[in-house]
Amino acid sequence: MPIRKLAKRFTGTVEEQDRQKLAKFCAELGVLPISQVEPRVPVRVAGEIQTVMIVPRAGSPSLEVTVGDGEAQLVGVFFGRRKILGLTPGRRLILAGVASSEGTRTYIYTTAFSFANPHANTNSHSETNSYATPDKRAGCHRIWPGK
């Protein structure tokens, strides 16, 4: 078996290997895979920022952050924001909120998020989603939208 893994490692594309590593990272955090997100249900997902765009919505700017977990993509929307420090392509984070679908895209509006720390021990933390207090679970620091 190790020879097959080694051969696959050298014959696979870099993008394929990156997707597999990202999917493994997200699975280790114990969050819901983006491909399994259902509309109108509170979710907690993780992934890597792929794009950051400012989109006008109802006359005010909104920051849209596209996040992928190696299998699917989701868009986090922050109303009234032009930028949030630290939200840059390539950064890994955890998003929490209520999902919604529009066409083929999945959105989370007014998203709570935290930066993911790949070296944190996630097994010792509970799975509650409290939006009222700072979050130190999973080695993350919550950045509050609107502040």
Side-chain angles (χ1 to χ4, degrees):
M1 272 310 214
I3 294 173
R4 286 185 185 172
K5 285 184 182 179
L6 186 63
K8 188 174 183 178
R9 182 175 169 190
F10 286 117
T11 59
T13 64
V14 173
E15 292 83 14
E16 213 175 283
Q17 293 174 10
D18 288 343
R19 277 194 303 272
Q20 290 172 354
K21 286 180 185 176
L22 182 58
K24 181 180 175 188
F25 172 80
C26 294
E28 288 174 354
L29 288 175
V31 296
L32 185 68
I34 293 174
S35 59
Q36 295 178 10
V37 169
E38 294 182 22
R40 298 187 208 149
V41 177
V43 295
R44 190 166 174 254
V45 298
E48 186 174 87
I49 298 174
Q50 296 171 346
T51 61
V52 178
M53 298 184 340
I54 300 171
V55 177
R57 287 182 181 261
S60 67
S62 294
L63 188 68
E64 288 191 359
V65 180
T66 304
V67 176
D69 67 354
E71 297 174 6
Q73 293 180 337
L74 177 131
V75 179
V77 180
F78 301 91
F79 294 112
R81 303 298 300 261
R82 292 183 189 270
K83 70 177 182 175
I84 298 174
L85 295 179
L87 286 186
T88 56
R91 193 83 189 254
R92 292 181 176 182
L93 61 124
I94 299 170
L95 297 171
V98 178
S100 137
S101 278
E102 291 180 23
T104 60
R105 299 182 83 185
T106 304
Y107 293 88
I108 295 181
Y109 293 103
T110 314
T111 311
F113 74 97
S114 47
F115 294 110
N117 181 353
H119 305 294
N121 179 6
T122 59
N123 296 332
S124 62
H125 304 293
S126 67
E127 185 61 33
T128 60
N129 281 331
S130 171
Y131 297 106
T133 58
D135 188 359
K136 300 285 182 177
R137 284 179 252 117
C140 302
H141 301 281
R142 181 151 306 182
I143 307 298
W144 298 99
K147 288 191 179 180

